[in-house]
Amino acid sequence: MDSEKPIGLVLLNMGGPDSLEAVEPFLYNLFSDRDLIQLPLGALLQKPFARMISHFRAKHVAENYRNIGGASPLLHWTGRQAEGIARELGEAFRPYVAMRYWHPTAEETLRRMAADGIERAVVVSMYPHYTGATTGSSVKDFRRTASRVYPELTFSVVEQWYDWPAYLDALAHQVNEGLNQFHELMRDGVQIFFSAHALPQKFIDRGDPYLEHVMETVRGVMERVGERPWHIGFQSRSGPVKWMEPGTEEVLDQLASDGHEAVLMVPISFVSDHIETLQEIDVEYRDHAHGRGIRSFGRSPSLNDHPLFISAMADLVRSNLEDGA
């Protein structure tokens, strides 16, 4: 850390379309990734299937992006996070972002790092909970691309941080901020509902630790928030495969059936606002909840570039460096 050479800080994330015209090619890139989605009939037909599915889904997905401003805010927030963490770490660090399914790609970022004279870097997955479908795919892509584009780069990778204490502190703070949205007379009855992105059940069955990591995060957050009723569900399920259960809609239905009228949604596997928070939770699940009789529906603020989260991630990087990375 005392070298005169700058140290790269690279945040890996999924990426999202930066315009409505980018929706279909973004979906094609996503559906082409066999680490994330294994379409039937094998690898040879993955790309033809991806082209067909992305074409047919693009119109509906583009309308969702239109509803949130016409583009994904994920690059904006991931860039802000990279800049904030690098600022906390000190002048020696240079921030970068590499997206899996849209720009800037790992190749674009690595070429920029080479041009900037970066010889050493810390690469951080912005998915707190490990699964081969997200962190695994992004890290594999970065390693593969680095070996081809910039083999001289020395880097370490932080793949998971689901139980990092300062991250749990920051998330618990956001949960309390969310609870404060409700009138004090009804706050004790608010049901805290953690919603994580679903995976096909076969990922869990093969030993993927994602569910275990998510549950550890929830337990760590609730230890900090205090004794309150909480629930967990899994969102963004689509297609004919068997998904993790229960689904977010099913949990909302059960809460309504049990007579609960106030729910706080907590997006647990996302660290910044994007389509799953701004459209799926804030619009679709809100409307679903209201339609079932849940009168008060709120969401805890996303971590985005909150100072507690930025500080937590800077400490995580320092710990990685101190461990001899």
Side-chain angles (χ1 to χ4, degrees):
M1 290 180 64
D2 56 355
S3 169
E4 293 182 2
K5 292 281 187 179
I7 302 170
L9 170 72
V10 186
L11 303 191
L12 304 182
N13 216 326
M14 176 179 181
D18 50 16
S19 68
L20 295 179
E21 293 73 25
V23 169
E24 186 170 336
F26 164 76
L27 291 176
Y28 171 75
N29 292 341
L30 186 148
F31 287 120
S32 296
D33 182 8
R34 286 186 65 79
D35 287 321
L36 178 67
I37 299 170
Q38 293 190 6
L39 295 173
L41 303 179
L44 287 177
L45 292 179
Q46 180 88 13
K47 289 190 175 182
F49 267 89
R51 194 170 302 281
M52 180 182 68
I53 292 173
S54 60
H55 177 72
F56 282 109
R57 292 196 62 180
K59 184 176 180 180
H60 171 72
V61 174
E63 192 60 33
N64 287 339
Y65 278 103
R66 190 188 307 277
N67 292 341
I68 65 168
S72 170
L74 196 57
L75 177 58
H76 166 78
W77 287 120
T78 309
R80 290 285 297 267
Q81 290 163 344
E83 291 166 4
I85 296 166
R87 191 161 47 246
E88 287 257 341
L89 290 169
E91 293 182 358
F93 289 82
R94 297 271 187 89
Y96 299 89
V97 171
M99 295 299 195
R100 182 65 181 92
Y101 305 115
W102 203 239
H103 305 289
T105 64
E107 178 166 347
E108 290 167 339
T109 296
L110 283 158
R111 291 193 184 282
R112 182 180 158 206
M113 293 170 69
D116 290 346
I118 303 295
E119 298 177 357
R120 179 188 179 197
V122 180
V123 179
V124 184
S125 166
M126 292 309 283
Y127 306 100
H129 316 99
Y130 183 89
T131 167
T134 55
T135 295
S137 178
S138 290
V139 171
K140 182 189 298 185
D141 177 60
F142 189 87
R143 290 187 185 278
R144 180 175 57 236
T145 307
S147 67
R148 176 174 57 86
V149 171
Y150 192 14
E152 299 83 6
L153 181 68
T154 299
F155 62 92
S156 59
V157 180
V158 182
E159 292 192 348
Q160 57 198 39
W161 33 277
Y162 62 94
D163 58 350
W164 183 247
Y167 157 64
L168 299 176
D169 291 343
L171 192 51
H173 178 274
Q174 298 304 80
V175 172
N176 284 321
E177 287 292 298
L179 289 170
N180 289 336
Q181 299 171 13
F182 295 85
H183 193 282
E184 60 182 7
L185 294 179
M186 67 184 310
R187 202 169 294 155
D188 288 344
V190 174
Q191 304 296 301
I192 298 176
F193 181 7
F194 294 93
S195 188
H197 201 292
L199 288 179
Q201 183 60 38
K202 65 181 180 182
F203 281 77
I204 306 303
D205 294 342
R206 76 184 185 189
D208 197 298
Y210 177 75
L211 177 58
E212 177 185 343
H213 288 182
V214 168
M215 295 307 299
E216 282 295 310
T217 294
V218 170
R219 285 190 282 265
V221 168
M222 291 311 300
E223 285 175 2
R224 290 159 169 79
V225 171
E227 198 68 32
R228 296 187 62 96
W230 61 269
H231 315 267
I232 189 165
F234 299 93
Q235 69 182 83
S236 309
R237 305 190 305 174
S238 64
V241 303
K242 178 177 174 55
W243 291 88
M244 298 170 67
E245 296 179 341
T248 296
E249 300 96 328
E250 297 164 17
V251 177
L252 287 171
D253 291 349
Q254 187 61 55
L255 290 172
S257 178
D258 291 343
H260 297 295
E261 295 185 344
V263 172
L264 174 69
M265 297 287 290
V266 181
I268 189 64
S269 52
F270 316 121
V271 297
S272 54
D273 279 319
H274 61 312
I275 195 76
E276 278 87 355
T277 58
L278 300 176
Q279 170 66 22
E280 198 167 2
I281 293 178
D282 290 356
V283 178
E284 296 173 21
Y285 293 146
R286 179 201 63 197
D287 292 348
H288 185 94
H290 287 166
R292 297 302 190 275
I294 296 172
R295 294 190 302 167
S296 296
F297 179 92
R299 174 172 66 86
S300 64
S302 295
L303 290 164
N304 290 333
D305 60 350
H306 192 284
L308 286 176
F309 178 60
I310 297 301
S311 177
M313 298 306 292
D315 286 344
L316 181 68
V317 173
R318 288 191 192 98
S319 177
N320 175 269
L321 292 168
E322 290 168 0
D323 286 343

